[in-house]
Structures are given as structure tokens and as C-alpha cells.
């Protein structure tokens, strides 16, 4: 099976930005691609599905022209996002090689159905359609979308980008189990939303035996008009030796379980941090009211309640006591 590395900016912003980024990537191409089975693809979005209406929405069809200029100049195949049948039509007309369906579109089966109708009707076909996981963690909907696009006869690939900056490995595992025949890529950029977290996440491509990665790369991320915090530079892409290499072994279920454990532990620390922040706010409030930080009756009350809650989850009372005592000590430190 091939291995894919899809890189380029979140959005096409200007001709200069698209071409400069593409030129910097092609300059390091031989260093990041070292095997014939690896396919390098240049990406950028022309229509951006944004949260707020007053943020950059993309440049529209003009962005396709800049992508085609990249293709002519560098010889790299190019990819863009399609969220409507009109986007599919325009991208195919322009000569774009690969389309991807974004997480927000993937959450809407009617939109995916409309895209599939256009793929059937259009005489031009993309090399493949990449389907991101839905913005909500729903493995069955993701599989449903794979089936919707597959029905058009166009090859499909899955892109796992997690949900709300959490990995949600469970849905990737479910889709991998159900459809091991479909390439699955990792998108560490949207998965983490943080530049410094992007490259370390790439380790999972190898650990889980995935088929490559889609990474947002911008020649000057600080100036990016969308997803500025998560884009890396071509130099950063080069600076690590973690560029996905083609998989050799079948990954074990154990690797997936370990990824899921990593995620649960990360969640636990996030929740503890949240709890400590609340404890601090409570501490400030108590100070204003001239109350002492320690209220023993409140601690006793929550401890017995938590023991009851934990019983429903088959967790031993001893464990609850140790965890709650440790949390309480830490909270008191935060309050002082
Ligand atoms: C993107 O790839 O730029 C994008 C919008 O991704 P997602 O749909 O995963 O948020
Ligand atoms: Mn983006």
C-alpha cells in the first residue's frame, strides 16, 4: 500500500503565499520523501468552513488556480477541500487531483450525499476523495460517508483528525477494524491545534501502522489567516526524523489500546487542571469572605458521595479515598 504525505497551508491566502510555501516544500522534497511508495501531495483550502462569520472564509475559486500553478511548476499532485457539489465541479474543472471532505461537512450526511451525486455526474474524476472523521466522534457516520463516496467508484481514504482537539482514537480504531482495506491518514494539525504538539503526534502514524499524514504547513504561520496556531514551517517539517515511513508490520491491537490509554491519561490531567483552577477560584472567594481554606465537613461529605459514585463504576473505596485525598491536598496547595 502507498504512504501519503499531504502538506501545505490551511488556506490559500494569496498567490505568493501558496507558491512560496510550495517552493519551500519542494526544496526539501528529497529529504522528506525517501521511498518510491511515498506520495507527496500539496494541499490548501479555497473555501474555509469557519466558526464565526466575520473570519477569513477563503478566496474561493481563485485558490484553485494557484494550486494548479503549483502543480505545473513543481509536478506535485494537489488537493483541496470540497464542501458542496459546486466546489467539486470547480475543483475538477480546474484539474485538482485529490479532494477532501472536511470534518464539518462529514458531520452532515445530506451534504456528503450531494457531493457523491456530483462525483457520479461529473465526467472528470479525482484520483481519490479523502474523508475526514465527522466533527462529532461518530464512527458509524464516518463509515457511512466512506460508503457514500465509495458508491461513486472514486477511491476513498480516511483522514483521522480527532474531535475538539482530542485524539478520539476509539473511532479511528473502529473504522480501521471495519475497513482495514482503506488507507487511513493522521491529521495531527487539527487533532492538536497547537504547533508544538503536531510533530510529536506523528509518532502514532508508525505506532498504529497508519498510511501517512496530512499536515498544515505555511511559510509564515504567524501571518496565517486561518489556523495560525497549528501550522508549522517547511523547516520544522524537515527538522524531525518522524516523517511517516511506509508501514511494514500489521499493527497490533495493543498499539491501539496504548494510544487510547494515552488519551485517557491526558484527559485525566486536563480534568485535574480544571479542578485545580476551580479550587483556586473557590480559595479566592473564601479569602474575600474571611473563611479558612479547609472546610472538613465539606470534604467528608464529598468523599462519601464520591465513594458511592465510584461503586457504580466498580472502583474500590480504598482507591477513591487515596485519589480524593491526593486531589484535596493538591487543591489546598492551589488555594494557598
Ligand atoms: C482543513 O483541513 O483545513 C480543515 C478545515 O480541516 P477539518 O475539516 O478537519 O477541520
Ligand atoms: Mn485548517
Amino acid at each position: 500500500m502507498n504512504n501519503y504525505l499531504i502538506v501545505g497551508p490551511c488556506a490559500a491566502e494569496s498567490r505568493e503565499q501558496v507558491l512560496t510555501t510550495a517552493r519551500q516544500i519542494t526544496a526539501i522534497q528529497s529529504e522528506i520523501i525517501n521511498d518510491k511508495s511515498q506520495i507527496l501531495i500539496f494541499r490548501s483550502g479555497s473555501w474555509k468552513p469557519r466558526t464565526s462569520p466575520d473570519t477569513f472564509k477563503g478566496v474561493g475559486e481563485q485558490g484553485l488556480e494557484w494550486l494548479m500553478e503549483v502543480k505545473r511548476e513543481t509536478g506535485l499532485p494537489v488537493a483541496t477541500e470540497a464542501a458542496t457539489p459546486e466546489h467539486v465541479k470547480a475543483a475538477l474543472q480546474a484539474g485538482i487531483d485529490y479532494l477532501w471532505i472536511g470534518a464539518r461537512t462529514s458531520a452532515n450526511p445530506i451534504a456528503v450525499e450531494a457531493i457523491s451525486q456530483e462525483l457520479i455526474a461529473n465526467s472528470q474524476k479525482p484520483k481519490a476523495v479523502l474523508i475526514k472523521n465527522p466533527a462529532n466522534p461518530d464512527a458509524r457516520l464516518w463509515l457511512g460517508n466512506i460508503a457514500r463516496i465509495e458508491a461513486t467508484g472514486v477511491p476513498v481514504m480516511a483522514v483521522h483528525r480527532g474531535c475538539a482537539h482530542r485524539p478520539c482514537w476509539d473511532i479511528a480504531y473502529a473504522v480501521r477494524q471495519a475497513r482495514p482495506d482503506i488507507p487511513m491518514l493522521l491529521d495531527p494539525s487539527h487533532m492538536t491545534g497547537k504547533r508544538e504538539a503536531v510533530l510529536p503526534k506523528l509518532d502514532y502514524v508508525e505506532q498504529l501502522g497508519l498510511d501517512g499524514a496530512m499536515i498544515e504547513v505555511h511559510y509564515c504561520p504567524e501571518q496565517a489567516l486561518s489556523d495560525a496556531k497549528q501550522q508549522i514551517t517547511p523547516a520544522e517539517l524537515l527538522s524531525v526524523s518522524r516523517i511517516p515511513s511506509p508501514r511494514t508490520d500489521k499493527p497490533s491491537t495493543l498499539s491501539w489500546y496504548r494510544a487510547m490509554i494515552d488519551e485517557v491519561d491526558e484527559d485525566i490531567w486536563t480534568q485535574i487542571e480544571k479542578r485545580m483552577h476551580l479550587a483556586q477560584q473557590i480559595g479566592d472567594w473564601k479569602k474575600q469572605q474571611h473563611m479558612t481554606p479547609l472546610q472538613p465537613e465539606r470534604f467528608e461529605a464529598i468523599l462519601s458521595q464520591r465513594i458511592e459514585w465510584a461503586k457504580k463504576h466498580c472502583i474500590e473505596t480504598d482507591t477513591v479515598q487515596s485519589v480524593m485525598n491526593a486531589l484535596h491536598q493538591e487543591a489546598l496547595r492551589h488555594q494557598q
Side-chain angles (χ1 to χ4, degrees), residues 10 48 190 216 227 230:
C10 175
K48 299 307 297 177
H190 293 90
E216 287 192 337
D227 287 347
Q230 71 193 31

Side-chain angles (χ1 to χ4, degrees), residues 3 7 11 16 37 79 85 96 99 106 114 180 182 184 193 205 250 258 272 274 279 288 296-297 311:
N3 186 280
V7 290
E16 189 234 348
S37 66
I96 304 297
L99 301 177
S106 190
I182 291 179
M184 181 182 279
V205 173
K250 211 169 163 280
R258 284 185 169 156
I272 291 178
K274 224 187 229 176
Q288 281 169 13
E297 55 315 324
K311 271 187 195 153

Side-chain angles (χ1 to χ4, degrees), residues 3-5 7 31-34 38 186 188 195-207 210-215 232 235-246:
N3 186 280
Y4 299 85
L5 182 59
V7 290
E31 285 158 275
I32 53 176
I33 296 289
N34 42 34
Q38 285 185 292
L186 181 71
R195 189 173 313 160
E196 64 279 12
V198 168
L199 294 170
K201 271 281 182 290
L202 277 184
D203 286 347
Y204 287 103
V205 173
E206 232 174 326
Q207 181 180 326
L210 302 181
D211 304 284
M214 181 192 264
I215 308 169
I232 61 168
E236 284 169 315
L237 189 62
L238 184 61
S239 72
V240 286
S241 54
R242 293 198 184 93
I243 304 303
S245 55

Side-chain angles (χ1 to χ4, degrees), residues 98-329:
Y98 293 87
L99 301 177
W100 80 80
I101 296 179
R104 290 160 190 82
T105 309
S106 190
N108 178 351
I110 292 178
V112 177
E113 196 70 48
I115 287 172
S116 76
Q117 291 306 317
E118 177 57 32
L119 287 167
I120 292 170
N122 205 305
S123 59
Q124 287 157 307
K125 309 286 176 193
K127 286 197 170 78
V129 173
L130 296 105
I131 306 166
K132 295 218 189 186
N133 65 269
N136 51 322
D138 186 339
R140 288 177 60 217
L141 178 56
W142 195 6
L143 284 167
N145 289 339
I146 289 169
R148 287 179 178 96
I149 299 299
E150 236 175 3
T152 69
V154 172
V156 298
M157 296 195 247
V159 178
H160 184 54
R161 48 87 79 216
C163 305
H165 296 159
R166 290 182 57 248
C168 300
W169 293 120
D170 53 338
I171 62 166
Y173 181 56
V175 168
R176 197 61 158 169
Q177 291 282 90
R179 297 299 309 268
D181 54 316
I182 291 179
M184 181 182 279
L185 277 56
L186 181 71
D187 171 348
S189 310
H190 293 90
M191 179 174 281
T192 63
K194 282 191 293 227
R195 189 173 313 160
E196 64 279 12
V198 168
L199 294 170
K201 271 281 182 290
L202 277 184
D203 286 347
Y204 287 103
V205 173
E206 232 174 326
Q207 181 180 326
L208 302 174
L210 302 181
D211 304 284
M214 181 192 264
I215 308 169
E216 287 192 337
V217 181
H218 190 297
Y219 83 100
C220 184
E222 295 77 19
Q223 286 173 14
L225 300 179
S226 61
D227 287 347
K229 290 201 183 117
Q230 71 193 31
Q231 304 202 58
I232 61 168
T233 62
E236 284 169 315
L237 189 62
L238 184 61
S239 72
V240 286
S241 54
R242 293 198 184 93
I243 304 303
S245 55
R247 77 159 112 145
T248 44
D249 326 298
K250 211 169 163 280
S252 66
T253 298
L254 178 63
S255 309
W256 282 95
Y257 288 158
R258 284 185 169 156
M260 290 184 235
I261 285 269
D262 290 348
E263 181 174 351
V264 171
D265 285 355
E266 266 191 71
D267 284 348
I268 289 174
W269 293 118
T270 306
Q271 292 302 324
I272 291 178
E273 187 189 8
K274 224 187 229 176
R275 200 180 191 284
M276 293 311 147
H277 182 65
L278 281 168
Q280 214 163 328
Q281 288 176 308
I282 290 173
D284 294 345
W285 190 87
K286 283 180 181 167
K287 229 177 258 167
Q288 281 169 13
Q289 308 298 317
H290 308 291
M291 281 166 77
T292 54
L294 182 63
Q295 311 284 309
E297 55 315 324
R298 162 72 180 157
F299 181 65
E300 288 310 318
I302 67 171
L303 181 60
S304 48
Q305 186 187 46
R306 284 2 172 212
I307 288 170
E308 285 311 304
W309 288 354
K311 271 187 195 153
K312 292 188 201 123
H313 300 281
C314 303
I315 295 171
E316 294 288 341
T317 298
D318 283 358
T319 309
V320 185
Q321 269 163 343
S322 328
V323 170
M324 290 307 297
N325 278 326
L327 286 175
H328 188 57
Q329 287 310 314

